[in-house]
Amino acid sequence: MSQGFRLDNVGMVNREKKISFKFNGKKYFGFEGDTIASALIANGVHLVGRSFKYHRPRGFFGVGVDEPYAILQLDRNNERDPNIRATEQEIFEGLEVKSVNCWPSVNFDIGAINNFLKMFFPAGFYYKTFMWPPSFWYKIYEPFIRMAAGFGEASIKHDKERYEHKYEYCDLLITGSGPSGLASAYAAAKNGARVILAEDKPRFGGSLLTSDVNIGNQTGVEWTEKIIAELKSMPNVTVKNRSQVFGYYDHNMLVMSERISDHLPKTQKYLPKQRLWYIRANEVLISSGSIERPLVFGNNDTPGVMLSSAAKEYMKVYGVLVGKKPLIFTNNDSGYETAIEFKKNGVNPIILDTRSDPSSDIIAEAKNLNIEIRFSYVVVAAKGYKKVKSADIAKISDDKKELFNIENIECDCICVSGFWTPSIHLASQSGNKSKFNEKIDAFVPDKSKQKENTIGSANGIFTLEETIKDAFDKGFDVSNKITEKNNKVSVPTVVEKKSTDHDKFWCVPLPKGKSYKRFLDFQNDVAVSDIELALREGFRSIEHVKRYTTLGMATDQGKTSNLNGLQLVSDIENKVVPQVGHTTFRPPYTPVSIGAIVGREVGKHSKPTRKSPMHSWHEKNNAVFVDAGVWLRPRYYKQGNEGLFEASKREAKNVRQNVGVCDVTTLGKIDVKGPDAAEFLNRVYTNAWLKLPVGKARYGVMLREDGIVMDDGTTTRISENHYHMTTTTAQAANVLSHLEYYLQLVWPELNVNVVSTTEQWAGAAIAGPNSRKLLMKLFPNLDVSNEGLPFMGYKEADLFGVPAKIYRISFSGELAYEINVESDNGYFMWEKIMEVGKEFQIQPYGTEALSTLRIEMGHVAGSELDGRTIPYDASLEGLVSKKKDFIGKRSLNRSAFTSTDREKLVGVVPIDKTTSIPEGSYIVKDPKAKLPNPKLGHVSASCWSVEYDNPFSLAIIKDGKNMIGQKLFAMSPLKNKTIPVEIVSSHYVDPEGKRVRS
Amino acid sequence: MLYINCPHCGLRSQNEFAYGGDATVKRPELNKEISDQEWDNFVYLRKSPRGKHLELWHHISGCRQWIKVERDTSTHEIFKTYKANEAIE
């Protein structure tokens, strides 16, 4: 193993634990605590990817969330994770990652030809090129562009990892554990507030990890450790590392993604891979820090060019040198700190400072260390293709317009510092309009919109002393508002090196005769020339420039690119940056796994599953289940080799000939109680309800206010002021909301209460000519004769010691009863019915047989009451009262609803009596008519009639009443079928309804 | 996600509620002769104001009460919540 760029005894990685991992198939070693980036740099690897558009070589630019280049694809436990930032992903034993955006390999990438064709890839290339002909879009352009786009491939396999959601409430959420986050968390926690402190990195401390400062006589790292230890010991504080608060939503709801197992070889038992926290915070302190700004010069995207703060962090945290001949290019004092760190580690850097004569403590220290410094100097262009080999540097005139003495010097990395950009993303997402701070050439949050404050360098405060003081104050103030306590902790003394003003210079002019690409947006390959072109072509609004050039898009979200882009647009437009404004920052701040967003609601868990009390009986008896809303219902009970068709035919036939039993627990049931219940039902249903006697049921239809049928079902008067309403399985929840709406808002004067009792009752429908005989055996003491319990009658009785309710209602069209018992007795009831029914050839039937029976009878269900039909269409107009008013009545007068050629329910039989008609088929007069063939209507439901042993369908067709007897065609282009049919009455079986009354 | 102060239950997250539309619409009285236009306005026409708006929410996963919420449609600020038949200020 050779980690040629690893320093001895420097950094925070665990040298005791060596870890091997694979990058593009090759094995490397690092230490526990390394990221992929630090481990690769330690091994001297800088080429990790290819750029988006030109496929130029890509290395590392940053050290954390700001990384625009090093986006890799990770394989872990046979799972694929795209869009992984090498600067964030920690290594673990067996980790395998590979480069994206290159083929066949990162070293030899065919797409790199784009780099030589770059004059053909200007801004807006896709818009300009893939315009004509329009027909090419779908088949040629789009697949091609899609193939070229994106960072990595998502897996098409089911993600077996577990993700969780957590809802949390707190007084104060602090987003970042740098000096301001730690100080404010400490002050607020000590004052009794419930605090959540979130840190995106594995290590707490933010800039304190790398800065040479002293707080309360301790180093930054020592102070961090002390504060974190104390916070962790407090019961009112939650401290989380590897946790990124990525979105700020309405009413102080923030979302945080916690990476629990991503840094481990395998997800631990009982732990999820990631956890998404929905945090409702009373107050938020945004301490997300700042990101170093790049400087713009020729080929500034060459691997080896990186942020100076990143170079410093690689040394101090990971003990890794990013180069051995570093060139520091800076317009402020931050670059000096990096240079001093190099020098301390035995490496001689050269500093190029754009300023002519700055002086400060830090500069003095660099001079004392004999570091070579050149003032008024700039990097003109980086040289080298896959790694920086040298740089053209030059002296720059005082007006920063002219370059002199261009020379080439050898170097293996260029560390740039163009000053600092506060990370205002979260503040901006909260609705805070930012303001431009001239002193730091950057936007900072303005007036709070929600309950948020921004502290530390995220608010443009760049000295530690001020940051710490301000953060202690804010932490106290915010907690004081909430807890009303006054426990103030004293602010520690801070020792730091003083720095001087930065230079506003940010972009090196091109030398005469050179056309180097100078990049602004490293992730999306947007160069100075692209922005210039966009403006020449007339794009003015920064939002338009962004979309035309892709500046600041994708995962970068303007982290490193934003301000330089704005600066350029302002320069060209002769404006100042605040006039140009900035583009909108949108959540998420960093990419979030889709799995984390979905959480546990995957597959079967995406909605609850409801089962009837008889479910286990159905399972034991070979039921094949079907989803009915959230319920699982038996579709058919399989016997031997039967399929759906044979089984449902057998079951339906048995109902017509003997007796069948069906689990109807899933039907919606609503108790309607109160002295005004009858009046209420009279307003809800289209038919009359005032005279329904106790002990009787009635079928009712309810409408929406627009006249469309909402639902149907029977309602039974249990006692004077108590009604038992049933709804369809699918509409149960909507009907309850509908009733509550009218009772609470429209007619509050009605003394009525409604409550769902769906789950309180288990229901079994007994249907068939033998059903009365069965009932006599089930209830030997009850008079169940046609006189004793007539059609639409209701009785309460005792079922072998269990109280039961018997409704004589029928969906199948046969003599039928529905028995309800309390849910806990459902299984008992079912077993008794099966046991006693044996001698009457009872068989259970599922939803498929149930459909067959109702279709044959012409009873409407969900496929006819599809949100488009009025009572007339479904042949329910007989139930519409002319005398009284009800919900939706006024709409039935609409001319479209009274027109005589409305579509109406009919029956359809194929002429050959053998070909089944696909549901959804169109009914047409002439199957050969020119398309679009004028349709008369559609087939809503189909079955195999067990009564007549031929196919039968229901259809809703124009002028249906007058079409009966006509010979037409059912066409299904989907199934490629044209079937000659005859239109018949929808009441195919027992049109007089004798059986139900027998 | 909105944080809605149910007048019966207190502050609850939006995911306990269902949105119920414009709360200023009044259903015409039963059995009253009204013009087609009036009925049409009631059934179909809704304003979509930018700014302060009184709207209905149904606390379906809570107390099952319909409530009225005065909300700014552009900023989501909630000014006040009312019980179903409370007088609106």
Side-chain angles (χ1 to χ4, degrees), chain A residues 295-311:
Chain A
L295 288 167
V296 180
F297 55 89
N299 301 330
N300 56 340
D301 64 329
T302 311
V305 177
M306 64 166 64
L307 294 173
S308 96
S309 56

Side-chain angles (χ1 to χ4, degrees), chain A residues 577-626:
Chain A
V577 174
Q579 283 177 303
V580 172
H582 62 75
T583 52
T584 314
F585 296 105
R586 290 194 178 84
Y589 175 61
T590 51
V592 184
S593 309
I594 299 289
I597 294 169
V598 174
R600 298 294 301 274
E601 293 166 14
V602 179
K604 259 307 205 194
H605 299 297
S606 59
K607 57 178 195 237
T609 301
R610 294 166 92 182
K611 295 173 182 173
S612 96
M614 288 84 94
H615 189 82
S616 57
W617 190 95
H618 306 320
E619 273 178 332
K620 271 183 259 168
N621 288 276
N622 298 323
V624 176
F625 292 92
V626 62

Side-chain angles (χ1 to χ4, degrees), chain A residues 201-401:
Chain A
K201 291 193 172 179
R203 297 171 189 81
F204 297 99
S207 64
L208 293 176
L209 291 172
T210 57
S211 51
D212 195 4
V213 294
N214 199 293
I215 307 173
N217 288 324
Q218 289 172 303
T219 66
V221 175
E222 285 165 354
W223 187 75
T224 302
E225 282 167 1
K226 188 195 89 175
I227 296 284
I228 288 290
E230 196 165 345
L231 288 174
K232 279 185 172 168
S233 73
M234 297 171 77
N236 54 330
V237 183
T238 304
V239 176
K240 283 282 164 193
N241 59 340
R242 300 190 180 93
S243 296
Q244 177 79 60
V245 177
F246 63 79
Y248 199 136
Y249 301 89
D250 294 306
H251 297 181
N252 261 36
M253 161 72 80
L254 290 95
V255 186
M256 171 172 97
S257 102
E258 183 188 5
R259 302 184 304 276
I260 294 174
S261 310
D262 291 77
H263 63 293
L264 304 171
K266 228 175 136 175
T267 301
Q268 306 288 296
K269 209 177 178 185
Y270 307 124
L271 278 180
K273 182 172 185 239
Q274 293 178 8
R275 183 181 288 141
L276 207 67
W277 294 54
Y278 292 89
I279 304 171
R280 186 80 68 174
N282 211 323
E283 293 273 349
V284 178
L285 284 177
I286 298 168
S287 52
S288 42
S290 51
I291 291 172
E292 201 164 23
R293 213 177 299 164
L295 288 167
V296 180
F297 55 89
N299 301 330
N300 56 340
D301 64 329
T302 311
V305 177
M306 64 166 64
L307 294 173
S308 96
S309 56
K312 189 173 70 170
E313 193 164 328
Y314 283 118
M315 280 185 277
K316 292 199 83 160
V317 174
Y318 301 102
V320 168
L321 284 173
V322 301
K324 292 178 178 173
K325 275 188 221 153
L327 192 61
I328 315 282
F329 180 25
T330 186
N331 71 357
N332 70 96
D333 287 6
S334 296
Y336 287 79
E337 290 179 28
T338 306
I340 290 165
E341 202 55 40
F342 271 117
K343 188 78 183 181
K344 281 185 187 164
N345 287 306
V347 175
N348 283 319
I350 300 172
I351 299 177
L352 305 185
D353 191 332
T354 66
R355 298 171 294 184
S356 57
D357 189 21
S359 80
S360 70
D361 290 0
I362 300 170
I363 297 170
E365 188 183 341
K367 282 179 177 164
N368 284 340
L369 288 168
N370 290 321
I371 293 173
E372 183 182 345
I373 307 171
R374 300 200 194 179
F375 293 111
S376 291
Y377 251 83
V378 296
V379 174
V380 176
K383 299 279 169 170
Y385 183 56
K386 288 177 189 168
K387 177 77 198 288
V388 172
K389 290 200 176 96
S390 67
D392 280 355
I393 63 169
K395 198 163 175 71
I396 192 159
S397 63
D398 286 345
D399 65 359
K400 312 280 196 214
K401 293 215 166 106

Side-chain angles (χ1 to χ4, degrees), chain A residues 167 169 249-251 253 278 280 449 679 683 705-706 733 736-737 740-742 744-748 884-888 890-891 894, chain B residues 1-4 13-15 27 29-32 34-36 39 42-44 56 58 60 64-66 68 75-78 84-85:
Chain A
Y167 291 82
Y169 295 79
Y249 301 89
D250 294 306
H251 297 181
M253 161 72 80
Y278 292 89
R280 186 80 68 174
K449 183 88 185 177
E679 173 61 27
R683 296 178 186 186
E705 289 286 17
D706 63 1
L736 184 66
S737 288
E740 285 168 335
Y741 174 88
Y742 284 93
Q744 293 171 23
L745 288 156
V746 185
W747 304 310
K884 55 142 195 176
D885 199 1
F886 52 84
I887 293 168
R890 183 69 173 79
S891 290
R894 286 179 54 188
Chain B
M1 203 189 302
L2 305 184
Y3 211 21
I4 300 171
S13 262
Q14 184 185 338
N15 48 5
R27 192 194 190 278
E29 278 170 46
L30 288 168
N31 300 308
K32 197 181 156 193
I34 54 167
S35 67
D36 285 353
W39 183 255
F42 159 66
V43 177
Y44 296 105
L56 290 170
H58 191 194
I60 45 167
R64 292 213 60 98
Q65 293 299 303
W66 286 86
K68 291 178 183 173
T75 65
H76 296 314
E77 187 178 352
I78 291 176
N85 285 292

Side-chain angles (χ1 to χ4, degrees), chain A residues 656-697:
Chain A
R656 293 264 183 258
Q657 288 172 356
N658 301 305
V659 61
V661 57
C662 181
D663 186 346
V664 292
T665 303
T666 62
L667 281 188
K669 303 174 202 73
I670 298 170
D671 253 11
V672 182
K673 280 186 175 175
D676 297 322
E679 173 61 27
F680 180 55
L681 293 174
N682 210 40
R683 296 178 186 186
V684 167
Y685 283 124
T686 58
N687 46 345
W689 284 81
L690 295 178
K691 287 177 187 154
L692 181 71
V694 172
K696 278 282 189 185

